[in-house]
């Protein structure tokens, strides 16, 4: 027994309990204990432990997670080289960045598997970790074996086995900022053939940030409740059925985005200067989610191969509400309600371990039904802002008409959308179908050279995307035109009301094929030391920007309004006496009006579709165990070439976020991870990651205020949201008590982790410098009980967890302040 961890062997030929459910006690304790020596969990696709494969990876045991306060996927940020998961927003938002690539919205760049079942939608990535046994983080493309959306890497999560763990675990916790939680999990092995587990949890977060515009209420408070069940049946020694199901309900507040900057030209918002550096928005925000996941792992061990079938099902129903302008003005709000169902299946055959030729081959597929409702509502200030924008832009070009040798008349344009609110609804169905076939072979002792191996693999992915869209708006607007001759006002066109019905309804479909090869060569000096080189390709799937419809509709509203205005104005000009306005001026105004009324034919597919992103990763690395097992080192250096890179940004109007293909980038970097067992009681660990990620081909086009096409060249700029440096330094010391003492031992853990510099925008005009947080834990252990006292961000470091710009304003979410807590754990 090591730190309460037991073993489940992956290499056994059968499921006899005498071989699979065993406990390991290392003979030499003054050495680094490899997690995979202690907790070896079967996976359908690999035959070797991670440190015996040509891959850069990090693993966490239960004690590792507890000692480093890992309570969700976002907590892994900084603990893994070159892994950055900013903790902002809500559980909807899980943005994972590895080695220069990542995703804020839409499809992820890093995959997630839980008990070998893929989580297709990253809206489900942030779930409760109360029943987790181990986490693996693999870096670099894993597309050959795992397919789409693993171009940055893969996170594998494994829950506790009821064959391994017996009894009932109870955990209680409380922390500052009114946080508390509780969980209970029971594990029961009924016989040598059947075992089950069941558990439940509840957690309350009181919130860290106050909204000064809503009576200083804590806006990021939340509650979550859920549970998990697992059952394992061994009908015979060669067959295993493993069924899991879990459900979570989350209800969160949000979002703590503070105003950081205002444009000097943003006259409409200058009265918000007192809100700089504060969270201050008037409309309530939040996120609610129902999440259900289920799966069946079936494994059959034949004489010469292992056959696996993994069936997964995921149901997600959620609702996000945003005060999209994030100010105390009543401008506009946005909602997003998703209803998603995903069915996945994977069938894999692989060779038995220890063979000279090791191979894996399989087929997989999934179908996702996704219905999204995304209405945008302009409120009173928003309607006024739209009207002011329309009129100020139009009046900028309205001419003065000579009315004689010494006088002239300035034309005054007025066109307003009627009412205090404007609702733009949207209903979207975006189903996805994916299927693939793959094979990977490893040839050991190549050419008779013991320890030399070569791996080659190829995957073919086919994906079909569809979108059924229905979005539109009905409204009226009132237009008038007058003349200003100083003290005299002339009505040229009285108030005239027009009705408009702008609508987009239709269907789109798009498909593509991706080929994902992998090549690797490895030399094993012995079972604990090797060196490798790999070349592999990964890709992130494309999709549709459904939030783009608000932008399209707003542009159409402007052009339709101007079409009404132009028609009415031209009619009025034609009826004017020739002496009041000359023909030259008349034609000038008519030309201006027709120019303002021009409407471009919108190609919905081109406006909403973004292409897949793909990258080639070139890597060399080594896994080393030295000093009689007391020091473990993992090293890697990589070059990643990315094409059609997907970048998240706000639409030009500010109405929602979209994904665009930015062109090309390249990432150069390295990773180093060390573990050292100094004495039986004292151990150290640390890691460092370096990534230099820059755009190589990225030129963005936009229209200025005068409608002229302009270019911004981002070549040579750093890719946003990618830390140049990530690091973690940690240590553990155990005070062992004498036999019969009131405690078995006292365990001290501390770590200092950080990241930076992080550029937040493609322009590189906003960034977070290198920062770090100090964290610690004291654990008092007695038998099956533990009392832990912990502290996060002990130095109360001030840093930005997230930053974005919208409509010439900057917003940021700050990192969480110092928090102190206590938890109690026991097993009966």
């Amino acid at each position: 027994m090591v730190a309460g961890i037991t073993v489940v062997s992956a290499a056994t030929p059968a499921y006899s309990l005498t071989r699979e459910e065993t406990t390991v006690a290392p003979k030499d304790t003054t050495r680094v204990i490899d997690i995979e020596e202690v907790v070896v969990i079967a996976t359908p696709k690999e035959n070797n432990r991670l440190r015996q494969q040509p891959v850069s990876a990090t693993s966490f045991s239960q004690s590792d997670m507890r000692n480093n306060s890992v309570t969700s996927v976002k907590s892994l940020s900084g603990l893994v080289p070159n892994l950055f998961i900013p903790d902002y927003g809500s559980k909807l938002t899980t943005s994972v960045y590895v080695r220069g690539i990542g995703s804020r919205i839409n499809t992820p760049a890093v995959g997630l598997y839980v008990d070998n079942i893929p989580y297709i939608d990253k809206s489900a990535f942030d779930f409760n970790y109360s029943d987790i046994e181990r986490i693996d983080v693999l870096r670099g493309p894993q597309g050959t074996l795992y397919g789409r959306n693993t171009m940055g890497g893969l996170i594998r999560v494994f829950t506790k086995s009821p064959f391994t763990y017996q009894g009932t675990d109870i955990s209680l916790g409380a922390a500052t900022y009114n946080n508390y939680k509780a969980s209970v999990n029971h594990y029961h092995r009924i016989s040598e053939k059947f075992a089950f587990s069941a558990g439940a949890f509840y957690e309350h977060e009181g919130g860290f940030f106050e909204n000064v515009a809503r009576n200083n209420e804590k806006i990021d408070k939340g509650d979550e409740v859920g549970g998990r069940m697992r059952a394992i049946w061994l009908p015979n020694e060669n067959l295993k059925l493993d069924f899991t199901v879990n459900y979570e309900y989350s209800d969160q507040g949000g979002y703590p985005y503070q105003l950081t900057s205002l444009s000097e030209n943003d006259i409409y918002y200058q009265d918000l200067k007192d809100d700089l550096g504060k969270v201050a928005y008037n409309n309530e925000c939040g996120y609610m989610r129902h999440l259900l996941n289920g799966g069946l792992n079936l494994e059959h061990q034949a004489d010469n191969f292992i056959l696996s079938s993994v069936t997964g099902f995921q149901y997600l129903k959620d609702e996000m509400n945003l005060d999209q302008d994030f100010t105390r003005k009543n401008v506009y709000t946005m909602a997003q309600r998703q209803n998603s169902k995903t069915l996945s299946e994977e069938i894999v055959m692989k060779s038995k371990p220890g063979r000279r030729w090791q191979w894996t081959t399989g087929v997989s597929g999934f179908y996702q039904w996704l219905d999204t409702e995304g209405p945008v509502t302009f409120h009173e200030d928003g309607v006024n802002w739209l009207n002011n924008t329309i009129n100020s832009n139009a009046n900028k070009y309205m001419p003065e008409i000579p009315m004689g040798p010494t006088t002239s008349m300035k034309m005054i344009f007025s066109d307003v959308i009627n009412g205090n609110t404007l609702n733009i609804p949207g209903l979207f169905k975006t189903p996805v179908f994916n299927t693939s076939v793959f094979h990977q072979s490893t040839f050991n002792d190549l050419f008779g050279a013991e320890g030399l191996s070569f791996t080659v693999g190829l995957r073919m992915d086919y994906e079909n995307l569809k979108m059924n869209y229905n979005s539109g708006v009905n409204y009226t607007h009132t237009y008038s035109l007058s003349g200003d001759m100083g003290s005299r006002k002339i009505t040229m066109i009285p108030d005239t009301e027009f009705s408009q019905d702008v609508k987009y309804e239709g269907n789109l479909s798009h498909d593509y094929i991706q080929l994902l090869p992998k090549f690797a060569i490895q030399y094993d000096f012995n079972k604990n030391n090797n060196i490798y080189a790999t070349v592999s390709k990964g890709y992130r799937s494309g999709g549709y920007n459904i939030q783009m419809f608000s932008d399209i509709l707003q542009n159409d509203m402007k052009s339709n309004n101007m079409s009404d205005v132009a028609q009415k104005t031209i009619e009025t000009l034609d009826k004017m006496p020739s002496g009041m306005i000359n023909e030259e001026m008349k034609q000038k105004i008519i030309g201006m009006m027709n120019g303002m009324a021009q409407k471009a034919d919108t190609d919905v597919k081109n406006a909403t579709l973004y292409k897949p992103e793909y990258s080639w990763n070139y890597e060399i690395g080594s896994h080393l165990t030295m000093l009689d097992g007391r020091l473990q080192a993992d090293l890697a250096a990589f070059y990643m070439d990315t094409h059609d890179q997907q970048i998240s940004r706000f639409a030009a109007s500010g109405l929602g976020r979209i994904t665009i293909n930015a062109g090309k980038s390249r990432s150069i970097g390295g990773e180093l991870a060390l573990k050292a067992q100094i004495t039986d009681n004292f151990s150290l660990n640390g890691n460092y990651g370096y990534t230099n990620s820059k755009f190589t081909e990225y030129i963005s086009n936009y229209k200025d205020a005068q409608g002229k096409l302009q270019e911004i060249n981002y070549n040579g700029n750093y890719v946003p949201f990618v830390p140049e440096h990530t690091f973690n330094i940690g240590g553990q010391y155990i005070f062992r008590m004498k036999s019969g003492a009131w405690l078995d031992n006292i365990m001290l853990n501390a770590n200092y982790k950080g990241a930076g510099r992080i550029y937040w925008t493609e322009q590189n005009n906003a960034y977070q410098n290198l920062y770090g947080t100090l964290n610690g834990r004291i654990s008092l252990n007695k038998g099956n009980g533990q009392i832990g006292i912990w502290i996060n961000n002990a130095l109360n470091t001030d840093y930005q967890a997230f930053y974005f710009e919208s409509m010439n304003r900057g917003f940021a979410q700050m990192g969480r302040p110092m928090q102190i807590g206590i938890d109690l754990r026991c097993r009966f």
Side-chain angles (χ1 to χ4, degrees):
M1 176 76 67
V2 180
I5 303 174
T6 54
V7 66
V8 180
S9 173
T12 56
Y15 295 110
S16 168
L17 295 178
T18 58
R19 287 174 290 187
E20 187 179 43
E21 315 300 334
T22 57
T23 301
V24 175
K27 296 178 181 179
D28 181 8
T29 56
T30 311
R31 67 181 182 90
V32 174
I33 304 301
D34 188 344
I35 294 171
E36 292 185 285
E37 291 181 284
V38 184
V39 183
V40 183
I41 301 175
T43 61
K45 299 173 184 177
E46 293 91 1
N47 274 315
N48 296 322
R49 290 161 34 200
L50 283 175
R51 297 191 76 246
Q52 294 174 337
Q53 298 177 37
V55 64
S56 182
T58 303
S59 294
F60 295 89
S61 66
Q62 297 173 75
S63 59
D64 291 332
M65 289 183 277
R66 187 159 51 245
N67 295 334
N68 290 284
S69 297
V70 176
T71 57
S72 72
V73 67
K74 294 176 181 177
S75 308
L76 296 172
S77 186
L79 297 175
V80 177
N82 285 323
L83 177 69
F84 179 59
I85 311 176
D87 189 0
Y88 72 95
S90 67
K91 287 183 176 291
L92 172 70
T93 310
T94 305
S95 306
V96 187
Y97 293 83
V98 178
R99 294 184 173 182
I101 55 176
S103 170
R104 277 174 56 193
I105 62 172
N106 295 327
T107 53
V110 175
L112 174 69
Y113 277 62
V114 180
D115 289 332
N116 302 319
I117 297 167
Y119 278 32
I120 305 298
D121 196 323
K122 74 184 187 69
S123 300
F125 276 23
D126 189 1
F127 64 94
N128 188 276
Y129 274 18
S130 63
D131 189 32
I132 303 305
E133 180 174 35
R134 176 177 141 192
I135 301 173
D136 299 332
V137 182
L138 288 65
R139 298 180 292 282
Q142 306 299 318
T144 304
L145 289 182
Y146 292 93
R148 71 195 294 272
N149 301 342
T150 60
M151 62 179 291
L154 179 70
I155 299 174
R156 302 190 308 202
V157 178
F158 301 97
T159 61
K160 297 176 183 177
S161 166
F163 268 113
T164 303
Y165 293 87
Q166 293 297 291
T168 302
D169 286 348
I170 297 176
S171 175
L172 301 172
T176 53
Y177 292 94
N178 195 28
N179 284 24
Y180 50 86
K181 59 184 177 181
S183 67
V184 57
N185 294 281
H186 178 71
Y187 309 90
H188 191 72
R189 185 169 62 197
I190 294 177
S191 68
E192 292 187 354
K193 293 183 177 293
F194 184 78
F196 75 93
S197 63
F201 67 87
Y202 171 75
E203 184 168 353
H204 172 78
E205 292 187 344
F208 295 89
F209 303 98
E210 296 179 346
N211 186 348
V212 299
R214 292 179 61 87
N215 298 319
N216 294 321
E217 69 176 9
K218 291 293 180 65
I219 57 173
D220 56 328
K221 59 187 177 182
D223 294 276
E224 64 175 349
V225 62
R228 183 189 306 274
M229 295 183 64
R230 184 176 181 185
I232 301 177
W233 181 36
L234 311 177
N236 57 59
E237 67 173 11
N238 293 319
L239 182 62
K240 175 183 177 181
L241 285 80
D242 187 348
F243 173 77
T244 61
V245 62
N246 68 282
Y247 168 79
E248 291 187 16
Y249 170 75
S250 302
D251 186 7
Q252 295 181 285
Y255 291 67
Y257 300 151
Q258 62 176 235
L259 183 66
T260 62
S261 64
L262 288 170
S263 169
E264 293 182 359
N265 298 324
D266 196 358
I267 302 174
Y268 188 64
Y269 284 84
Q270 290 307 304
D271 58 339
L272 298 179
K273 287 184 177 180
D274 290 342
D275 287 340
L276 289 171
K278 303 174 184 176
V279 179
Y281 56 82
N282 61 301
N283 288 300
E284 187 174 359
C285 297
Y287 179 65
M288 179 278 294
R289 182 184 72 183
H290 295 274
L291 177 63
L292 175 70
N293 290 283
L296 175 64
N297 283 263
L298 186 152
E299 185 173 310
H300 171 69
Q301 302 233 9
D303 293 336
N304 297 311
F305 63 87
I306 301 172
L307 175 65
S308 299
S309 169
V310 181
T311 306
F313 176 76
Q314 182 175 94
Y315 171 75
L316 183 147
K317 181 180 180 182
D318 67 1
E319 180 174 349
M320 174 187 67
N321 290 286
L322 286 179
D323 184 336
Q324 189 65 52
D325 59 282
F326 292 108
T327 68
R328 63 174 70 241
K329 288 183 177 293
N330 202 23
V331 183
Y332 67 110
T333 56
M334 184 181 74
Q336 176 180 285
R337 291 180 280 273
Q338 296 183 122
N339 191 312
S340 171
K341 294 175 282 292
T342 305
L343 183 64
S344 62
E345 175 63 35
E346 188 165 46
I347 299 174
V348 181
M349 292 178 61
K350 69 177 181 181
S351 60
K352 289 293 184 93
R355 307 294 173 90
R356 185 171 180 179
W357 174 35
Q358 292 181 332
W359 51 268
T360 300
T361 190
V363 294
S364 68
F366 75 85
Y367 191 88
Q368 181 182 55
W369 298 263
L370 176 58
D371 298 342
T372 306
E373 183 180 358
V376 173
T377 301
F378 284 88
H379 301 279
E380 183 177 1
D381 290 332
V383 174
N384 290 338
W385 170 72
L386 286 173
N387 291 332
N388 288 337
T389 301
I390 293 171
N391 291 315
S392 60
N393 287 337
N395 279 308
K396 190 184 302 181
Y397 304 103
M398 295 302 290
E400 288 192 12
I401 302 174
M403 303 300 292
T406 59
T407 61
S408 62
M409 179 176 66
K410 174 65 176 177
M411 296 182 68
I412 306 299
F413 174 101
S414 175
D415 185 37
V416 297
I417 296 172
N418 300 325
N420 292 326
T421 61
L422 179 67
N423 183 48
I424 304 177
L427 296 172
F428 309 95
K429 296 180 183 293
T430 51
V432 179
F433 170 71
N434 177 281
T435 186
S436 62
V437 58
F438 58 92
H439 177 85
Q440 180 172 294
S441 284
T442 298
F443 304 95
N444 296 309
D445 299 334
L446 194 64
F447 306 124
E450 184 176 355
L452 182 64
S453 63
F454 177 70
T455 298
V456 59
L458 180 65
R459 184 188 193 99
M460 183 181 73
D461 250 31
Y462 169 80
E463 184 147 314
N464 178 264
L465 312 168
K466 293 182 179 179
M467 179 171 66
N468 176 282
Y469 55 91
N470 186 345
S471 183
V473 58
N474 296 303
Y475 66 98
T476 63
H477 67 108
T478 300
Y479 169 60
S480 65
L481 185 66
S482 61
D484 184 0
M485 296 182 63
S487 60
R488 185 181 174 190
K489 306 294 182 182
I490 300 175
T491 299
M492 303 175 67
I493 300 176
D495 287 349
T496 306
E497 186 174 273
F498 300 91
S499 295
Q500 280 290 348
D501 183 6
V502 185
K503 190 170 186 179
Y504 282 89
E505 185 174 6
N507 295 278
L508 295 176
S509 181
H510 180 69
D511 60 0
Y512 50 81
I513 293 176
Q514 287 281 337
L515 297 177
L516 305 173
K518 176 181 179 179
F519 307 94
I521 188 167
Q522 178 172 308
Y523 180 71
D524 297 333
F525 303 103
N526 51 53
K527 69 175 183 177
N528 294 319
N529 297 274
N530 58 57
I531 186 171
Y532 67 86
T534 66
V535 178
S536 56
K537 180 186 176 184
Y539 90 101
R540 179 147 56 112
S541 58
Y544 296 103
N545 287 304
I546 62 175
Q547 292 188 10
M548 194 67 188
F549 280 91
S550 296
D551 205 57
I552 295 172
L553 286 167
Q554 187 188 3
N555 290 332
D556 283 358
M557 288 169 59
K558 290 178 181 179
S559 63
N560 287 0
N561 284 13
M562 291 311 303
S563 179
D564 292 335
V565 165
Q567 182 178 354
K568 185 65 178 179
T569 304
I570 292 171
E571 289 177 0
T572 303
L573 290 175
D574 287 338
K575 295 177 183 178
M576 281 187 176
S578 58
M580 185 174 180
I581 181 172
N582 62 48
E583 187 64 25
E584 181 181 355
M585 180 59 70
K586 182 186 294 185
Q587 293 304 318
K588 179 179 179 181
I589 297 173
I590 290 173
M592 183 188 70
M593 287 290 178
N594 285 330
M596 295 171 66
Q598 284 185 357
K599 179 181 178 181
D601 291 331
T602 301
D603 186 328
V604 175
K605 185 172 183 177
N606 288 336
T608 60
L609 180 69
Y610 57 92
K611 298 182 292 184
E613 171 186 355
Y614 69 93
S615 66
W616 285 92
N617 183 75
Y618 308 88
E619 179 177 340
I620 58 172
S622 181
H623 305 294
L624 302 172
T625 302
M626 300 168 285
L627 303 178
D628 295 326
R630 294 194 299 272
L631 178 64
Q632 191 179 90
D634 299 294
L635 308 90
F638 63 87
Y639 176 88
M640 186 171 285
D641 185 24
T642 304
H643 295 246
D644 292 326
Q645 182 147 14
Q646 295 174 10
I647 295 292
S648 302
R649 60 165 54 166
F650 276 84
S653 64
L655 303 181
R657 299 167 298 169
I658 61 173
T659 296
I660 66 166
N661 293 102
K664 299 180 182 179
S665 71
R666 64 101 185 104
S667 298
I668 302 172
E671 297 160 355
L672 171 65
L674 298 171
K675 294 181 180 179
Q677 190 72 40
I678 310 301
T679 68
D680 282 352
N681 300 323
F682 182 42
S683 62
L684 293 172
N685 65 83
N687 69 67
Y688 170 73
Y690 171 76
T691 298
N692 183 288
S693 184
K694 293 184 176 182
F695 293 114
T696 56
E697 291 185 22
Y698 180 18
I699 297 177
S700 179
N701 298 316
Y702 73 100
K703 288 185 178 180
D704 61 17
Q706 286 74 40
K708 295 181 180 179
L709 194 65
Q710 304 289 343
E711 283 187 353
I712 301 179
N713 191 331
Y714 294 116
N715 292 346
N717 285 13
Y718 288 93
V719 176
F721 284 83
V722 177
E724 188 170 15
H725 308 277
T726 60
F727 63 88
N728 176 64
I729 302 171
Q732 180 184 86
Y733 193 87
I734 303 175
F735 295 92
R736 303 184 189 276
M737 304 301 176
K738 295 181 180 179
S739 177
W742 63 286
L743 286 176
D744 294 338
N745 61 68
I746 299 175
M747 188 181 300
L748 303 181
N749 288 88
N751 74 77
Y752 187 76
K753 64 177 183 177
R757 171 180 289 187
I758 307 165
Y759 288 97
W760 300 118
T761 64
E762 296 103 297
Q763 297 91 337
N764 289 180
N765 59 347
Y767 56 85
Q768 168 63 54
N769 277 321
L770 182 70
Y771 70 93
T773 60
L774 178 64
N775 314 282
R777 180 183 176 89
I778 301 174
S779 300
L780 310 178
N781 302 301
K782 178 66 175 180
N784 290 328
Q786 181 185 88
I787 299 175
I789 302 171
W790 53 267
I791 184 170
N792 289 336
N793 195 6
L795 302 179
N796 209 26
T797 302
D798 191 32
Y799 64 95
Q800 288 183 346
F802 175 59
Y803 174 89
F804 66 95
E805 293 178 352
S806 175
M807 302 175 73
N808 298 315
R809 293 181 290 278
F811 297 89
Q813 178 172 335
M814 304 306 294
R816 292 183 175 183
M818 179 177 66
Q819 187 179 28
I820 302 172
I822 183 172
D823 55 56
L824 295 84
R825 302 169 184 271
C826 61
R827 172 176 294 184
F828 298 99

